[in-house]
Amino acid sequence: MAVTVVKSVADVRKAVKAARAKGLNIGFVPTMGALHEGHASLVRHSTKECGYTVVSIYVNPTQFGAGEDFDKYPRTLDADTKLVDKAGGSLIFAPTDREMYPNYRGADGTWVDLVGLTKQLEGASRPHHFRGVTTVVTKLFNIVQPDKAYFGQKDFQQCRVIQRMAADLDMPLEVVMCQTVREANGLAMSSRNVYLNPEQRKQALCLSQTLTKARELYARGERNAEKISAAMRELIASHPLARIDYVEIVDHDTLASVAEINESSVAVLAVFVGTTRLIDNGYLK
Ligand code: PAF
């Protein structure tokens, strides 16, 4: 295998320094593991644009709330290593909690907290989620010091939050948002799809189907956001195993709900299928 797995910050720094000395630019794909084709496409995106690609695999405890799936989140380092290797990644950073948070005691520590963009949508259901994400991503950016970092559009709000954080804090890198990768039936690839049984998997298709429905209405000239989101809700409600957390049409910069849809509008939704919470989104144009 060409890919190397390291567990310490010092080893990442050493490897990145050596790559830079060879004149290579550094691409970075932060993940929580349980990798799938969506992650592979991020790695390939990076290897196309960067000479050296680092992938982090770390289930970050600070972005999970009480009662969320931190303990049962799938951990599959061997399979993940093979996938990264096949996609052309150069280095995997798979740290322990001790390595990532040696000085933190409970909430005592330094946090990166973006005030705007984080309280609505995912933030409304998961109050400290984005503070955990922005903190760990800042730490990972400081460790890897990439030129470019790649995130999937499936986590649209996360991408916008990280892009805003990088701009606000003058982080010297480009945050690239890559298209969501879907199964042939439309289901957005997600590490959490493994929680679904066959019937739930079928019903989970309602997420991408509502986006198709919203696009059809938009293409027919509908611009009223409430009418489109009502049609989306109705479609989800016809699936007995699905329960809406939120369905909204928002502006892609502010993430605020819009009344009138335009080219910057994105439909975003979170739906429980059984006990699994799934998210999806799409531009309507
Ligand atoms: O999208 C994810 O997998 C995580 O939120 C990230 C960006 C790796 C931070 O832990």
Side-chain angles (χ1 to χ4, degrees):
M1 242 188 269
V3 71
T4 307
V5 182
V6 298
K7 298 203 172 284
S8 74
V9 172
D11 284 345
V12 177
R13 293 201 194 284
K14 209 157 81 188
V16 168
K17 197 171 168 194
R20 284 216 185 273
K22 288 187 203 149
L24 302 173
N25 62 340
I26 311 297
F28 179 41
V29 181
T31 81
M32 298 204 301
L35 303 182
H36 49 65
E37 194 41 42
H39 297 110
S41 92
L42 297 178
V43 176
R44 286 195 295 268
H45 215 111
S46 174
T47 57
K48 232 181 257 157
E49 298 179 345
C50 305
Y52 194 82
T53 292
V54 181
V55 178
S56 64
I57 296 181
Y58 178 58
V59 186
N60 172 39
T62 65
Q63 68 189 75
F64 287 80
E68 291 187 358
D69 58 346
F70 174 72
D71 287 332
K72 74 165 181 173
Y73 200 86
R75 287 153 170 94
T76 56
L77 186 60
D78 288 347
D80 292 348
T81 305
K82 286 190 187 114
L83 181 140
V84 172
D85 187 54
K86 200 164 159 216
S90 318
L91 186 79
I92 291 175
F93 175 45
T96 57
D97 291 341
R98 232 192 159 143
E99 186 69 12
M100 283 306 285
Y101 294 105
N103 305 316
Y104 286 64
R105 308 270 180 279
D108 175 9
T110 304
W111 296 93
V112 178
D113 203 356
L114 175 54
V115 174
L117 304 184
T118 57
K119 306 294 175 274
Q120 63 270 59
L121 308 175
E122 289 302 288
S125 310
R126 311 182 68 192
H128 297 298
H129 172 67
F130 284 115
R131 188 185 77 159
V133 170
T134 45
T135 300
V136 81
V137 170
T138 299
K139 287 166 69 59
L140 290 165
F141 284 176
N142 284 337
I143 293 164
V144 177
Q145 302 192 9
D147 298 290
K148 292 187 173 203
Y150 299 85
F151 294 85
Q153 191 190 321
K154 202 213 83 191
D155 297 299
F156 185 76
Q157 186 176 13
Q158 171 171 279
C159 285
R160 304 299 294 138
V161 163
I162 290 168
Q163 284 173 332
R164 176 67 193 273
M165 172 189 82
D168 284 357
L169 297 182
D170 307 297
M171 292 178 169
L173 81 164
E174 187 187 339
V175 176
V176 184
M177 179 161 86
C178 303
Q179 263 192 355
T180 303
V181 177
R182 297 177 183 280
E183 294 182 4
N185 60 17
L187 182 66
M189 300 240 179
S190 163
S191 304
R192 291 189 166 96
N193 290 348
V194 297
Y195 300 150
L196 302 168
N197 67 30
E199 182 51 34
Q200 290 168 341
R201 225 165 214 283
K202 259 191 236 155
Q203 299 218 1
L205 297 182
C206 71
L207 280 89
S208 58
Q209 284 164 358
T210 57
L211 293 172
T212 306
K213 172 101 198 167
R215 273 195 209 99
E216 276 166 18
L217 292 171
Y218 180 82
R220 274 194 252 138
E222 184 59 76
R223 295 292 180 270
N224 182 301
E226 193 37 52
K227 283 198 182 137
I228 295 193
S229 51
M232 293 171 73
R233 284 195 192 96
E234 197 177 296
L235 198 152
I236 296 165
S238 69
H239 294 72
L241 299 183
R243 181 169 58 82
I244 293 172
D245 186 357
Y246 61 78
V247 172
E248 286 193 42
I249 300 177
V250 300
D251 176 74
H252 71 167
D253 281 327
T254 64
L255 301 183
S257 294
V258 296
E260 195 71 12
I261 294 173
N262 62 33
E263 297 205 335
S264 310
S265 305
V266 187
V268 289
L269 67 160
V271 174
F272 285 94
V273 179
T275 55
T276 304
R277 189 170 176 284
L278 300 174
I279 58 174
D280 205 346
N281 70 83
Y283 282 89
L284 298 185
K285 62 173 189 291

